Amino acid sequence: MWDKSPIAHIDDVVAPTLIALGMKDLRVPPSQGLEFFHSLKARNIQTKLLIYDDCDHAIDKSASEADHWINIKQWFDEYL
């Protein structure tokens, strides 16, 4: 299972990475996303973390979803 984990491949990441976490996520513990974010920062990979306290895995609350899409657009504008 380890080889399927994103953190197992952290040294291969070179692209700027946008991470969005729903803090009520029961599918993927938010702690795993936080670990991934901090590992990228430690490797000097450009990264941004979006935290949505009221969302689960889907990030589907109206305000959170809108914010998420706005941040995706801004991220694409900067890095694509």
Side-chain angles (χ1 to χ4, degrees):
M1 192 86 175
W2 169 252
D3 61 324
K4 304 296 183 204
S5 173
I7 201 74
H9 306 282
I10 196 78
D11 290 328
D12 298 328
V13 178
V14 294
T17 307
L18 178 64
I19 300 171
L21 299 177
M23 297 308 282
K24 293 183 178 178
D25 192 341
L26 299 177
R27 188 177 307 162
V28 179
S31 60
Q32 290 183 7
L34 292 169
E35 178 184 8
F36 194 73
F37 170 75
H38 289 294
S39 294
L40 291 173
K41 294 295 275 186
R43 288 163 177 76
N44 294 315
I45 302 297
Q46 183 64 40
T47 187
K48 181 176 181 178
L49 177 63
L50 306 174
I51 293 179
Y52 299 100
D53 291 324
D54 62 338
C55 290
D56 57 20
H57 193 77
I59 305 177
D60 58 359
K61 304 282 188 223
S62 296
S64 298
E65 185 177 19
D67 180 76
H68 187 210
W69 282 113
I70 288 166
N71 275 281
I72 289 170
K73 165 75 165 79
Q74 291 170 342
W75 191 261
F76 283 175
D77 286 347
E78 187 168 347
Y79 294 105
L80 290 185

